[in-house]
Coordinates of all heavy atoms in Angstrom, one line a residue:
M1034 N 99.5 63.3 110.9 CA 99.5 64.6 110.5 C 99.5 65.6 111.6 O 98.8 65.4 112.7 CB 98.4 64.9 109.5 CG 98.4 66.4 109.1 SD 96.9 66.6 108.0 CE 97.9 66.9 106.5
L1035 N 100.5 66.5 111.7 CA 100.6 67.5 112.8 C 99.7 68.6 112.5 O 99.5 69.1 111.5 CB 102.0 68.0 112.7 CG 102.7 68.5 113.9 CD1 102.8 67.5 115.0 CD2 104.1 68.9 113.6
N1036 N 99.1 69.0 113.7 CA 98.1 70.1 113.5 C 99.0 71.5 113.6 O 100.1 71.4 113.9 CB 97.0 70.1 114.4 CG 97.4 70.3 116.0 OD1 98.4 71.0 116.3 ND2 96.7 69.7 116.8
Y1037 N 98.3 72.6 113.2 CA 99.2 73.7 113.1 C 99.8 74.2 114.4 O 100.8 74.8 114.4 CB 98.2 74.9 112.6 CG 97.9 74.7 111.2 CD1 96.5 74.2 110.6 CD2 98.9 74.7 110.1 CE1 96.3 74.0 109.4 CE2 98.5 74.5 108.7 CZ 97.3 74.1 108.4 OH 96.9 73.8 107.0
S1038 N 99.0 74.1 115.4 CA 99.5 74.5 116.8 C 100.7 73.7 117.1 O 101.8 74.4 117.6 CB 98.5 74.5 117.9 OG 97.9 73.2 118.0
D1039 N 100.7 72.5 117.0 CA 101.8 71.7 117.2 C 103.0 71.9 116.4 O 104.2 72.0 116.9 CB 101.4 70.1 117.2 CG 100.4 69.7 118.2 OD1 100.3 70.2 119.3 OD2 99.8 68.6 118.1
Y1040 N 102.8 72.2 115.1 CA 103.8 72.5 114.2 C 104.5 73.9 114.7 O 105.7 73.9 114.6 CB 103.2 72.7 112.7 CG 104.2 73.1 111.8 CD1 104.9 72.1 111.1 CD2 104.4 74.4 111.4 CE1 105.9 72.5 110.1 CE2 105.3 74.8 110.4 CZ 106.1 73.8 109.9 OH 107.1 74.2 108.9
L1041 N 103.7 74.9 115.0 CA 104.4 76.1 115.4 C 105.2 76.0 116.6 O 106.2 76.4 116.8 CB 103.2 77.0 115.7 CG 102.5 77.6 114.3 CD1 101.3 78.4 114.8 CD2 103.5 78.4 113.4
V1042 N 104.7 75.2 117.6 CA 105.3 75.0 118.8 C 106.6 74.2 118.6 O 107.7 74.5 119.2 CB 104.4 74.1 119.9 CG1 105.3 73.6 121.1 CG2 103.3 75.1 120.3
E1043 N 106.6 73.2 117.8 CA 107.8 72.5 117.4 C 108.9 73.2 116.7 O 110.0 73.1 117.1 CB 107.5 71.2 116.5 CG 108.5 70.3 116.2 CD 108.1 69.0 115.3 OE1 107.1 68.3 115.8 OE2 108.6 68.8 114.4
H1044 N 108.4 74.1 115.7 CA 109.4 74.7 115.0 C 109.8 76.0 115.6 O 110.9 76.6 115.3 CB 108.9 75.0 113.6 CG 108.9 73.7 112.8 ND1 108.0 72.7 112.8 CD2 109.9 73.4 111.9 CE1 108.2 71.8 112.0 NE2 109.4 72.1 111.4
L1045 N 109.1 76.6 116.3 CA 109.4 77.9 117.0 C 109.9 77.8 118.4 O 110.4 78.8 118.9 CB 108.2 78.9 117.0 CG 107.7 79.4 115.5 CD1 106.5 80.1 115.5 CD2 108.9 80.1 114.6
E1046 N 109.6 76.6 119.0 CA 110.1 76.4 120.3 C 109.5 77.3 121.4 O 110.3 77.8 122.3 CB 111.6 76.2 120.4 CG 112.2 75.0 119.6 CD 113.6 74.9 119.5 OE1 114.3 75.7 120.2 OE2 114.1 73.9 118.9
K1047 N 108.3 77.7 121.1 CA 107.6 78.7 122.1 C 106.2 78.1 122.5 O 105.7 77.3 121.8 CB 107.4 80.1 121.5 CG 108.6 80.7 121.0 CD 109.4 81.3 122.3 CE 110.5 82.1 121.7 NZ 111.6 82.4 122.8
D1048 N 105.7 78.5 123.6 CA 104.4 77.9 124.1 C 103.4 78.5 123.1 O 103.4 79.6 122.6 CB 104.2 78.5 125.5 CG 102.9 78.2 126.0 OD1 102.7 77.0 126.2 OD2 102.0 79.1 126.2
Y1049 N 102.4 77.7 122.8 CA 101.4 78.1 121.9 C 100.6 79.2 122.3 O 100.2 80.2 121.6 CB 100.4 76.9 121.5 CG 99.5 77.3 120.4 CD1 99.8 77.5 119.1 CD2 98.2 77.5 120.8 CE1 98.9 77.8 118.1 CE2 97.2 78.1 119.9 CZ 97.5 78.1 118.5 OH 96.7 78.5 117.6
H1050 N 100.3 79.3 123.6 CA 99.4 80.4 124.1 C 100.2 81.7 124.0 O 99.6 82.7 123.7 CB 99.0 80.1 125.6 CG 98.1 78.9 125.7 ND1 96.9 79.0 125.2 CD2 98.3 77.8 126.1 CE1 96.3 77.7 125.4 NE2 97.2 77.1 126.0
Y1051 N 101.6 81.7 124.2 CA 102.4 83.0 124.0 C 102.3 83.3 122.5 O 102.1 84.4 122.1 CB 103.8 82.4 124.4 CG 104.7 83.6 124.0 CD1 104.8 84.9 124.8 CD2 105.6 83.4 123.0 CE1 105.8 85.9 124.4 CE2 106.6 84.4 122.7 CZ 106.5 85.6 123.4 OH 107.4 86.6 123.0
L1052 N 102.5 82.4 121.6 CA 102.4 82.5 120.1 C 101.1 83.1 119.8 O 101.0 84.0 118.9 CB 102.8 81.4 119.3 CG 104.2 80.8 119.5 CD1 104.3 79.5 118.8 CD2 105.3 81.9 118.9
S1053 N 100.0 82.5 120.3 CA 98.8 82.9 119.9 C 98.4 84.3 120.3 O 97.9 85.1 119.5 CB 97.7 82.0 120.5 OG 96.3 82.3 120.1
H1054 N 98.8 84.7 121.5 CA 98.6 86.0 122.1 C 99.4 87.0 121.2 O 99.0 88.1 120.9 CB 99.1 86.1 123.5 CG 98.9 87.5 124.2 ND1 97.8 88.0 124.4 CD2 99.9 88.4 124.5 CE1 98.1 89.3 124.9 NE2 99.3 89.4 124.9
L1055 N 100.7 86.8 120.9 CA 101.5 87.6 120.1 C 100.9 87.8 118.7 O 100.9 89.0 118.2 CB 102.8 87.1 119.8 CG 104.0 87.6 120.8 CD1 105.4 86.8 120.5 CD2 104.3 88.9 120.7
F1056 N 100.5 86.7 118.1 CA 99.9 86.9 116.7 C 98.5 87.7 116.8 O 98.4 88.5 116.1 CB 99.6 85.5 116.2 CG 99.1 85.5 114.8 CD1 100.1 85.4 113.8 CD2 97.9 85.5 114.4 CE1 99.9 85.4 112.5 CE2 97.5 85.6 113.0 CZ 98.5 85.4 112.2
S1057 N 97.7 87.4 117.8 CA 96.4 88.0 117.9 C 96.6 89.7 118.2 O 95.9 90.5 117.4 CB 95.6 87.6 119.0 OG 95.3 86.2 118.7
A1058 N 97.7 90.0 118.9 CA 98.0 91.3 119.3 C 98.4 92.1 118.0 O 98.1 93.2 117.8 CB 99.0 91.5 120.4
S1059 N 99.3 91.4 117.2 CA 99.8 91.9 116.0 C 98.8 92.1 114.8 O 98.8 93.0 114.1 CB 101.0 91.2 115.6 OG 101.5 91.5 114.4
E1060 N 98.1 91.0 114.6 CA 97.3 90.8 113.4 C 95.8 91.2 113.7 O 95.1 91.4 112.7 CB 97.5 89.5 112.7 CG 98.9 89.2 112.4 CD 99.4 90.2 111.3 OE1 98.7 90.5 110.3 OE2 100.5 90.6 111.5
G1061 N 95.3 91.1 114.9 CA 93.9 91.3 115.2 C 93.0 90.3 114.9 O 91.8 90.3 115.0
L1062 N 93.5 89.1 114.8 CA 92.8 87.7 114.7 C 93.5 86.7 115.2 O 94.8 86.7 115.2 CB 92.3 87.6 113.3 CG 93.2 87.3 112.2 CD1 92.4 86.5 111.0 CD2 93.9 88.4 111.5
T1063 N 92.9 85.5 115.4 CA 93.6 84.3 115.9 C 94.4 83.7 114.9 O 94.1 83.8 113.6 CB 92.6 83.4 116.6 OG1 91.8 82.8 115.6 CG2 91.9 84.0 117.8
I1064 N 95.3 82.9 115.2 CA 96.0 82.1 114.3 C 95.2 81.2 113.4 O 95.3 81.0 112.3 CB 97.2 81.3 114.9 CG1 98.4 82.2 115.6 CG2 97.9 80.2 114.1 CD1 99.3 81.4 116.5
E1065 N 94.3 80.6 114.2 CA 93.3 79.7 113.6 C 92.5 80.4 112.5 O 92.3 80.0 111.4 CB 92.3 79.1 114.7 CG 91.3 78.1 114.1 CD 90.4 77.7 115.1 OE1 90.2 78.2 116.1 OE2 89.8 76.5 114.8
K1066 N 91.9 81.6 112.8 CA 91.2 82.3 111.8 C 92.0 82.8 110.7 O 91.5 82.7 109.6 CB 90.5 83.7 112.5 CG 89.5 83.3 113.5 CD 88.2 83.0 112.8 CE 87.0 82.9 113.8 NZ 85.9 82.1 113.3
F1067 N 93.2 83.1 111.0 CA 94.2 83.4 109.8 C 94.3 82.3 108.9 O 94.3 82.4 107.6 CB 95.6 83.9 110.4 CG 96.6 84.2 109.2 CD1 96.6 85.5 108.6 CD2 97.4 83.2 109.0 CE1 97.4 85.7 107.8 CE2 98.4 83.6 108.0 CZ 98.4 84.7 107.4
I1068 N 94.6 81.0 109.5 CA 94.8 79.8 108.6 C 93.5 79.5 107.9 O 93.6 79.2 106.6 CB 95.3 78.7 109.6 CG1 96.7 78.9 110.0 CG2 95.2 77.3 108.8 CD1 97.2 78.1 111.2
I1069 N 92.4 79.6 108.5 CA 91.2 79.3 107.8 C 91.0 80.4 106.6 O 90.6 80.0 105.5 CB 89.8 79.5 108.8 CG1 89.9 78.4 109.7 CG2 88.6 79.5 107.9 CD1 89.0 78.4 110.8
R1070 N 91.3 81.7 106.9 CA 91.2 82.6 105.8 C 92.0 82.3 104.6 O 91.7 82.3 103.5 CB 91.5 84.0 106.2 CG 90.5 84.7 107.0 CD 90.9 86.3 107.2 NE 89.9 86.8 108.0 CZ 90.0 88.2 108.4 NH1 91.1 88.8 108.1 NH2 89.1 88.7 109.1
Q1071 N 93.2 81.8 104.9 CA 94.3 81.5 103.9 C 93.7 80.3 103.1 O 93.9 80.2 101.9 CB 95.7 81.3 104.5 CG 96.2 82.4 105.1 CD 96.4 83.7 104.1 OE1 97.0 83.5 103.0 NE2 96.0 84.8 104.4
K1072 N 93.3 79.3 103.8 CA 92.7 78.1 103.2 C 91.5 78.4 102.2 O 91.4 77.9 101.2 CB 92.4 77.0 104.2 CG 93.7 76.4 104.8 CD 93.3 75.5 106.0 CE 92.8 74.2 105.7 NZ 92.8 73.4 106.8
V1073 N 90.7 79.2 102.7 CA 89.4 79.6 102.0 C 89.9 80.4 100.7 O 89.3 80.2 99.7 CB 88.4 80.4 102.8 CG1 87.3 81.1 102.0 CG2 87.7 79.5 103.8
E1074 N 90.8 81.3 100.8 CA 91.3 82.1 99.7 C 91.9 81.0 98.5 O 91.6 81.2 97.4 CB 92.4 83.0 100.0 CG 91.8 84.3 100.6 CD 90.8 85.0 100.0 OE1 91.0 85.3 98.7 OE2 89.7 85.3 100.5
R1075 N 92.5 80.0 99.1 CA 93.2 79.1 98.1 C 92.0 78.3 97.6 O 92.2 77.9 96.3 CB 94.2 78.1 98.9 CG 94.9 77.2 98.1 CD 95.7 77.6 97.0 NE 96.3 76.5 96.3 CZ 96.6 76.5 95.0 NH1 96.3 77.4 94.2 NH2 97.1 75.5 94.4
A1076 N 91.0 77.9 98.4 CA 89.9 77.1 97.9 C 89.1 78.0 96.8 O 88.8 77.4 95.6 CB 88.9 76.8 98.9
K1077 N 89.0 79.2 96.9 CA 88.4 80.2 96.0 C 89.2 80.0 94.6 O 88.6 79.9 93.6 CB 88.4 81.6 96.4 CG 87.2 81.8 97.5 CD 87.5 83.0 98.3 CE 87.3 84.3 97.5 NZ 87.4 85.6 98.4
E1078 N 90.6 80.1 94.7 CA 91.3 80.0 93.6 C 91.1 78.7 92.9 O 90.9 78.7 91.7 CB 92.8 80.2 93.9 CG 93.8 80.3 92.9 CD 95.2 80.4 93.2 OE1 95.5 80.6 94.4 OE2 96.1 80.5 92.3
L1079 N 91.1 77.7 93.7 CA 91.1 76.3 93.0 C 89.7 76.1 92.5 O 89.5 75.4 91.4 CB 91.4 75.1 94.0 CG 92.9 75.2 94.6 CD1 93.0 74.2 95.7 CD2 93.7 74.8 93.4
I1080 N 88.7 76.6 93.2 CA 87.3 76.4 92.7 C 87.1 77.1 91.3 O 86.4 76.8 90.4 CB 86.3 76.8 93.7 CG1 86.3 75.8 94.8 CG2 84.9 77.0 93.2 CD1 85.6 76.4 96.2
S1081 N 87.7 78.4 91.2 CA 87.6 79.2 90.1 C 88.2 78.6 88.9 O 87.6 78.7 87.7 CB 88.4 80.6 90.3 OG 87.7 81.3 91.2
Y1082 N 89.2 77.7 89.0 CA 89.8 77.0 87.9 C 89.0 75.8 87.4 O 89.2 75.5 86.2 CB 91.2 76.4 88.3 CG 92.2 77.3 88.9 CD1 93.3 77.0 89.5 CD2 92.3 78.6 88.3 CE1 94.3 77.7 90.0 CE2 93.3 79.6 88.7 CZ 94.3 79.2 89.5 OH 95.3 80.1 89.9
A1083 N 88.1 75.4 88.2 CA 87.1 74.3 87.8 C 87.9 73.1 87.3 O 87.4 72.4 86.4 CB 86.1 74.8 86.8
E1084 N 89.0 72.7 87.8 CA 89.8 71.6 87.4 C 89.8 70.5 88.4 O 90.1 69.3 88.1 CB 91.3 72.0 87.2 CG 91.5 73.1 86.1 CD 92.9 73.5 85.9 OE1 93.8 73.1 87.0 OE2 93.3 74.2 85.1
L1085 N 89.3 70.7 89.7 CA 89.2 69.6 90.8 C 87.9 69.6 91.2 O 87.1 70.7 91.2 CB 90.1 70.1 91.9 CG 91.6 70.2 91.5 CD1 92.3 70.7 92.8 CD2 92.3 69.0 91.1
S1086 N 87.5 68.5 91.8 CA 86.2 68.3 92.4 C 86.3 68.9 93.8 O 87.4 69.2 94.3 CB 85.7 66.9 92.5 OG 86.7 66.2 93.5
M1087 N 85.2 69.2 94.5 CA 85.1 69.7 95.9 C 86.0 68.7 96.7 O 86.7 69.0 97.6 CB 83.8 69.9 96.3 CG 83.2 71.2 95.9 SD 84.3 72.6 96.3 CE 84.2 72.6 98.2
A1088 N 85.8 67.4 96.5 CA 86.6 66.5 97.4 C 88.1 66.6 97.2 O 88.8 66.6 98.2 CB 86.0 65.0 97.0
E1089 N 88.5 66.9 96.0 CA 89.9 67.0 95.7 C 90.4 68.4 96.3 O 91.5 68.3 96.9 CB 90.2 67.0 94.2 CG 89.9 65.6 93.5 CD 89.9 65.7 92.1 OE1 89.4 66.6 91.4 OE2 90.5 64.6 91.5
V1090 N 89.6 69.4 96.2 CA 90.1 70.6 96.8 C 90.2 70.5 98.3 O 91.1 70.9 98.9 CB 89.0 71.7 96.4 CG1 89.3 73.1 97.2 CG2 88.9 72.1 95.0
A1091 N 89.1 69.9 98.9 CA 89.1 69.6 100.4 C 90.4 68.8 100.7 O 91.0 69.2 101.7 CB 87.8 69.0 100.7
Q1092 N 90.6 67.9 100.1 CA 91.7 67.0 100.4 C 93.2 67.7 100.2 O 93.9 67.6 101.1 CB 91.7 65.7 99.5 CG 92.9 64.7 99.8 CD 93.0 63.6 98.9 OE1 92.5 63.6 97.8 NE2 93.6 62.5 99.4
Q1093 N 93.2 68.5 99.1 CA 94.5 69.2 98.8 C 94.8 70.3 100.0 O 95.9 70.5 100.3 CB 94.3 69.9 97.5 CG 95.6 70.4 97.1 CD 95.6 71.0 95.6 OE1 95.3 72.2 95.3 NE2 95.9 70.1 94.6
L1094 N 93.7 70.8 100.5 CA 93.8 71.8 101.5 C 93.7 71.3 103.0 O 93.9 72.0 103.9 CB 92.7 72.9 101.5 CG 92.7 73.6 100.1 CD1 91.6 74.6 100.0 CD2 94.1 74.4 100.0
G1095 N 93.7 69.9 103.2 CA 93.8 69.3 104.5 C 92.6 69.3 105.2 O 92.6 69.2 106.3
Y1096 N 91.4 69.4 104.5 CA 90.2 69.4 105.2 C 89.8 67.8 105.5 O 90.1 66.9 104.6 CB 89.0 70.0 104.5 CG 89.0 71.5 104.7 CD1 89.8 72.3 103.8 CD2 88.4 72.1 105.7 CE1 89.9 73.6 103.9 CE2 88.4 73.5 105.9 CZ 89.1 74.3 105.0 OH 89.2 75.6 105.3
S1097 N 89.1 67.6 106.5 CA 88.6 66.2 106.8 C 87.5 65.7 105.9 O 87.4 64.5 105.6 CB 88.0 66.1 108.2 OG 87.0 66.9 108.5
S1098 N 86.8 66.7 105.2 CA 85.7 66.4 104.4 C 85.3 67.5 103.6 O 85.6 68.7 103.9 CB 84.4 65.9 105.1 OG 83.8 66.9 105.7
P1099 N 84.7 67.3 102.4 CA 84.2 68.4 101.5 C 83.1 69.4 102.4 O 83.1 70.7 102.1 CB 83.5 67.9 100.3 CG 84.2 66.5 100.1 CD 84.5 66.1 101.7
A1100 N 82.4 68.7 103.1 CA 81.3 69.4 104.0 C 82.0 70.4 105.0 O 81.6 71.5 105.1 CB 80.5 68.3 104.6
H1101 N 83.1 69.9 105.6 CA 83.9 70.9 106.5 C 84.4 72.1 105.7 O 84.3 73.2 106.2 CB 85.0 70.0 107.1 CG 85.7 70.8 108.2 ND1 87.0 70.5 108.6 CD2 85.4 72.0 109.0 CE1 87.4 71.4 109.5 NE2 86.5 72.2 109.7
L1102 N 84.9 71.8 104.5 CA 85.4 72.9 103.7 C 84.2 73.9 103.4 O 84.4 75.0 103.6 CB 86.1 72.5 102.5 CG 86.3 73.5 101.3 CD1 87.2 74.7 101.8 CD2 86.9 72.9 100.0
S1103 N 83.1 73.2 103.0 CA 81.9 74.1 102.6 C 81.4 74.9 103.7 O 81.1 76.0 103.5 CB 80.8 73.2 102.1 OG 81.1 72.5 100.8
R1104 N 81.4 74.3 105.0 CA 81.0 75.1 106.1 C 81.8 76.3 106.3 O 81.5 77.5 106.6 CB 80.9 74.3 107.3 CG 79.7 73.5 107.5 CD 79.6 72.8 108.9 NE 80.6 72.1 109.2 CZ 80.8 70.6 108.9 NH1 79.8 70.1 108.1 NH2 81.8 70.0 109.3
Q1105 N 83.2 76.0 106.3 CA 84.2 77.2 106.5 C 84.1 78.2 105.4 O 84.1 79.5 105.7 CB 85.6 76.7 106.8 CG 85.7 76.0 108.2 CD 87.1 75.8 108.5 OE1 88.0 75.7 107.7 NE2 87.5 75.5 109.8
F1106 N 84.0 77.8 104.2 CA 83.9 78.6 103.1 C 82.7 79.6 103.2 O 82.7 80.7 102.9 CB 83.7 77.8 101.7 CG 83.9 78.5 100.5 CD1 85.1 78.5 99.9 CD2 82.9 79.2 99.9 CE1 85.4 79.2 98.7 CE2 83.2 79.9 98.7 CZ 84.4 79.9 98.1
R1107 N 81.5 79.0 103.5 CA 80.3 79.7 103.7 C 80.4 80.7 104.8 O 79.9 81.9 104.8 CB 79.2 78.8 103.9 CG 77.9 79.6 103.8 CD 76.6 78.8 103.8 NE 75.4 79.6 103.7 CZ 74.3 79.4 102.9 NH1 74.3 78.2 102.6 NH2 73.4 80.3 102.9
Q1108 N 81.0 80.3 105.9 CA 81.3 81.2 107.1 C 82.1 82.5 106.7 O 81.9 83.6 107.1 CB 81.9 80.5 108.2 CG 81.0 79.6 109.0 CD 81.7 78.7 110.0 OE1 82.9 78.7 110.1 NE2 80.9 78.1 110.9
M1109 N 83.0 82.2 105.8 CA 84.0 83.4 105.4 C 83.5 84.1 104.3 O 83.8 85.4 104.3 CB 85.4 82.7 105.1 CG 86.1 82.1 106.2 SD 86.4 83.0 107.7 CE 87.6 84.1 107.0
T1110 N 82.8 83.6 103.4 CA 82.5 84.3 102.2 C 80.9 84.6 102.1 O 80.5 85.6 101.4 CB 82.8 83.5 100.9 OG1 82.0 82.4 100.8 CG2 84.2 83.2 100.9
G1111 N 80.1 84.0 102.8 CA 78.6 84.1 102.8 C 78.0 83.3 101.6 O 76.8 83.5 101.3
L1112 N 78.9 82.6 100.9 CA 78.4 81.7 99.7 C 78.9 80.4 99.9 O 79.9 80.0 100.5 CB 79.1 82.2 98.4 CG 78.8 83.7 98.0 CD1 79.8 84.1 96.9 CD2 77.4 84.0 97.6
T1113 N 78.1 79.4 99.2 CA 78.7 78.0 99.2 C 79.7 78.0 98.1 O 79.6 78.9 97.2 CB 77.4 77.2 98.9 OG1 77.0 77.4 97.4 CG2 76.3 77.3 99.7
P1114 N 80.6 77.0 98.1 CA 81.6 76.9 97.0 C 80.9 76.9 95.6 O 81.4 77.5 94.7 CB 82.3 75.6 97.4 CG 82.1 75.6 98.8 CD 80.8 76.0 99.1
T1115 N 79.7 76.2 95.6 CA 78.9 76.1 94.2 C 78.5 77.5 93.8 O 78.6 77.8 92.7 CB 77.8 75.1 94.3 OG1 78.4 73.9 94.8 CG2 77.0 74.9 93.1
D1116 N 78.0 78.2 94.8 CA 77.4 79.6 94.4 C 78.6 80.5 93.9 O 78.5 81.3 93.1 CB 76.9 80.3 95.6 CG 75.4 79.6 95.9 OD1 74.9 78.8 95.1 OD2 75.0 79.8 97.1
F1117 N 79.8 80.3 94.7 CA 81.0 81.1 94.3 C 81.4 80.8 92.9 O 81.6 81.6 92.0 CB 82.0 80.8 95.2 CG 83.4 81.5 94.8 CD1 83.5 82.9 95.3 CD2 84.3 80.8 94.3 CE1 84.7 83.4 94.9 CE2 85.6 81.5 93.9 CZ 85.7 82.7 94.2
Q1118 N 81.4 79.4 92.6 CA 81.8 78.9 91.2 C 80.8 79.5 90.2 O 81.3 79.8 89.1 CB 81.8 77.5 91.1 CG 82.5 77.0 89.9 CD 82.8 75.4 90.0 OE1 82.0 74.7 90.6 NE2 83.9 74.9 89.6
R1119 N 79.5 79.7 90.5 CA 78.6 80.2 89.4 C 78.8 81.6 89.2 O 78.2 82.1 88.1 CB 77.2 80.0 90.1 CG 76.7 78.6 89.9 CD 75.3 78.5 90.3 NE 74.8 77.1 90.5 CZ 74.3 76.4 91.5 NH1 73.8 77.2 92.5 NH2 74.0 75.2 91.6
L1120 N 79.5 82.3 90.0 CA 79.7 83.7 89.7 C 80.6 83.9 88.5 O 80.6 85.1 88.0 CB 80.4 84.3 90.9 CG 79.6 84.6 92.3 CD1 80.4 85.1 93.3 CD2 78.4 85.4 91.9
G1121 N 81.2 82.9 88.2 CA 82.1 82.9 86.9 C 83.6 83.1 87.2 O 83.9 83.1 88.4
P1122 N 84.4 83.0 86.1 CA 85.8 82.9 86.3 C 86.3 84.2 87.0 O 85.8 85.4 86.7 CB 86.4 82.8 84.9 CG 85.3 83.3 84.1 CD 84.0 83.0 84.8
A1123 N 87.2 84.0 87.9 CA 88.0 85.1 88.5 C 88.9 85.8 87.6 O 89.3 85.2 86.5 CB 88.7 84.5 89.8
P1124 N 89.3 87.1 87.9 CA 90.2 87.8 87.0 C 91.5 87.1 87.0 O 92.3 87.2 86.1 CB 90.4 89.1 87.8 CG 89.5 89.1 89.0 CD 88.8 87.8 89.1
F1125 N 91.9 86.1 88.0 CA 93.1 85.5 87.9 C 92.9 84.0 87.2 O 93.8 83.3 87.5 CB 93.8 85.4 89.2 CG 92.7 84.9 90.3 CD1 92.6 83.4 90.4 CD2 92.1 85.7 91.2 CE1 91.8 82.9 91.5 CE2 91.3 85.2 92.1 CZ 91.1 83.8 92.3
A1126 N 91.8 83.8 86.6 CA 91.6 82.5 86.1 C 92.7 82.1 85.2 O 93.3 82.9 84.4 CB 90.1 82.4 85.3
R1127 N 93.0 80.9 85.1 CA 94.1 80.3 84.1 C 93.8 80.5 82.8 O 92.7 80.3 82.4 CB 94.3 78.9 84.5 CG 95.0 78.7 85.9 CD 95.2 77.1 86.1 NE 95.9 76.9 87.3 CZ 96.3 75.7 87.7 NH1 96.1 74.8 86.9 NH2 96.8 75.7 88.9
R1128 N 94.8 80.7 82.0 CA 94.6 81.0 80.6 C 95.7 80.0 79.9 O 96.7 79.8 80.5 CB 94.9 82.3 80.1 CG 93.9 83.4 80.6 CD 94.1 84.7 80.2 NE 95.6 85.1 80.3 CZ 96.1 86.3 80.0 NH1 95.3 87.1 79.2 NH2 97.2 86.5 80.2
G1129 N 95.3 79.5 78.8 CA 96.3 78.6 78.1 C 97.5 79.4 77.6 O 97.5 80.6 77.4
L1130 N 98.6 78.8 77.4 CA 99.8 79.4 77.0 C 99.7 80.1 75.6 O 100.3 81.1 75.5 CB 101.0 78.4 77.0 CG 101.5 77.9 78.4 CD1 102.6 76.9 78.1 CD2 102.1 79.0 79.0
D1131 N 98.9 79.5 74.8 CA 98.8 80.1 73.5 C 98.1 81.5 73.6 O 98.3 82.3 72.6 CB 98.0 79.2 72.6 CG 96.7 78.7 73.0 OD1 96.4 78.7 74.4 OD2 95.8 78.5 72.2
S1132 N 97.3 81.7 74.7 CA 96.6 83.0 74.7 C 97.5 84.1 75.3 O 97.1 85.3 75.3 CB 95.3 82.8 75.5 OG 95.8 82.6 76.9
L1133 N 98.6 83.7 75.8 CA 99.7 84.7 76.4 C 100.6 85.3 75.4 O 101.1 86.4 75.6 CB 100.5 83.9 77.5 CG 99.7 83.4 78.7 CD1 100.6 82.7 79.6 CD2 99.0 84.6 79.4
I1134 N 100.6 84.7 74.2 CA 101.6 85.2 73.2 C 100.8 86.3 72.3 O 99.8 86.3 72.0 CB 102.1 84.0 72.3 CG1 102.8 83.2 73.2 CG2 103.0 84.6 71.2 CD1 103.3 81.8 72.6

């Protein structure tokens, strides 16, 4: 599995330090922090659906373990994934097709 920095270098054919500097100057955060934020946002969505276990969410998002996902989730949100799930369904929670008609 290719890591994100290698993927960017390979596909953009630019030095990673150059890309990282450009991204940070433009977005105000590192590429790594941006990717973590995106993964945590997706984890929040998946956790809200309550259809997958934490191990399945972690695997789907490319984490080495559920514990690694939990650590990053807590760093970004201040909540554990379990505490987040206890908050209840998100406004974007899935609804059955029959409820849409």
